[in-house]
Amino acid sequence: MSKIKAIIFDFDGVIVESMGIKADGFAHIFRDRPDKVAQIVEYHLAHGGMGRMEKFENIYRLFLNKKINEKEKLSLSKDLTDYVYKKVVECPFVTGAKEFLQKHKDEYKFFIVSGTPDGEIKSIVNDRGLSPYFIEVLGSPDKKSVLNRRILQNYSLKPDETAFVGDSIDDYEGIKDTGIIFIGRITRGSDPFNTLPVKLKINDLVGMERLAADGKI
């Protein structure tokens, strides 16, 4: 019998195939800096689990050599939402994702912890008809480490009874000091966890079904 009682999912790149949409969105909102767009998109992809506002701050500091104020951050965030929201609501699921949620919704407590702003990720999950599968959906500005600890505390979960499924180093950083079991989603030709002590890796959520069948979760 599985010891895992709860599974926390990242959303983009784990539940739905939206990483390309978000990358296009970052290229769009920084289209007035064509000399920096490639670097900015690369940074975004390398930090897929980072909150949007923190990412804007880092992009301005690292690539544009200036500080960003709150008004500019809110304006960029709105532009990004306007560009990606409908596409994310309509994009395909990661293979096996919906089937895994449907099959195991009464077996595990499911949560989402995303770097997308809290109100936006709740709205996206609702518009995709996925709200009934999740106990709680949480987004930024709080860091994932804070949100993960909040879930453990609020639902009286032990870390070794809880797994997090993520596709970025930021997702791993969000659990590494908590004791939560990490499952990395990797894609063909890309394994961001190859230098980290991540033992469980999947290509899609059919892989989660295999882990469940093998008694590993």
Side-chain angles (χ1 to χ4, degrees):
M1 184 175 178
S2 171
K3 65 178 182 178
I4 296 297
K5 295 182 178 178
I7 301 176
I8 307 170
F9 297 91
D10 179 30
F11 189 73
D12 293 303
V14 172
I15 298 294
V16 299
E17 295 286 15
S18 53
M19 289 304 292
I21 295 169
K22 294 291 182 73
D24 289 346
F26 270 79
H28 175 75
I29 64 174
F30 287 102
R31 62 191 181 282
D32 61 335
R33 291 301 306 266
D35 56 323
K36 299 293 183 181
V37 163
Q39 289 176 291
I40 290 169
V41 170
E42 183 179 0
Y43 181 83
H44 159 69
L45 291 172
H47 297 279
M50 182 183 293
R52 182 181 299 179
M53 297 303 187
E54 181 181 3
K55 198 175 293 182
F56 291 154
E57 290 177 6
N58 292 342
I59 286 171
Y60 265 57
R61 177 173 52 83
L62 293 171
F63 305 116
L64 306 182
N65 296 315
K66 58 182 181 180
K67 291 185 178 180
I68 183 171
N69 60 42
E70 289 301 313
K71 184 178 179 180
E72 289 171 322
K73 283 193 286 186
L74 290 172
S75 178
L76 284 174
S77 181
K78 182 181 183 305
D79 288 348
L80 184 60
T81 297
D82 290 345
Y83 187 85
V84 304
Y85 188 94
K86 187 172 185 290
K87 296 181 176 72
V88 174
V89 169
E90 296 176 348
C91 74
F93 282 98
V94 169
T95 302
K98 190 167 186 180
E99 292 81 0
F100 186 85
L101 296 175
Q102 290 173 329
K103 182 176 180 179
H104 296 285
K105 64 183 174 63
D106 296 325
E107 182 179 354
Y108 304 108
K109 291 181 173 67
F110 290 146
F111 300 87
I112 285 176
V113 166
S114 171
T116 298
D118 189 71
E120 185 171 323
I121 188 62
K122 284 179 166 65
S123 181
I124 289 171
V125 170
N126 186 62
D127 284 353
R128 290 196 66 119
L130 296 175
S131 296
Y133 295 108
F134 297 99
I135 302 294
E136 194 166 7
V137 176
L138 299 168
S140 63
D142 289 336
K143 290 182 177 292
K144 291 192 173 185
S145 58
V146 174
L147 299 175
N148 291 330
R149 290 182 187 281
R150 188 181 302 163
I151 288 172
L152 293 179
Q153 180 175 353
N154 288 353
Y155 296 93
S156 300
L157 292 165
K158 297 177 181 177
D160 63 356
E161 296 174 339
T162 307
F164 188 107
V165 187
D167 66 340
S168 73
I169 291 176
D170 300 284
D171 291 327
Y172 176 79
E173 292 291 327
I175 64 90
K176 74 174 185 179
D177 294 324
T178 66
I180 292 174
I181 297 163
F182 188 78
I183 300 169
R185 193 227 169 172
I186 59 175
T187 54
R188 183 174 297 178
S190 175
D191 179 1
F193 313 113
N194 58 6
T195 61
L196 299 173
V198 176
K199 296 179 180 178
L200 299 176
K201 298 180 184 179
I202 56 174
N203 292 311
D204 50 37
L205 265 66
V206 174
M208 285 291 288
E209 192 62 52
R210 295 193 188 99
L211 293 179
D214 293 342
K216 294 181 178 178
I217 61 171

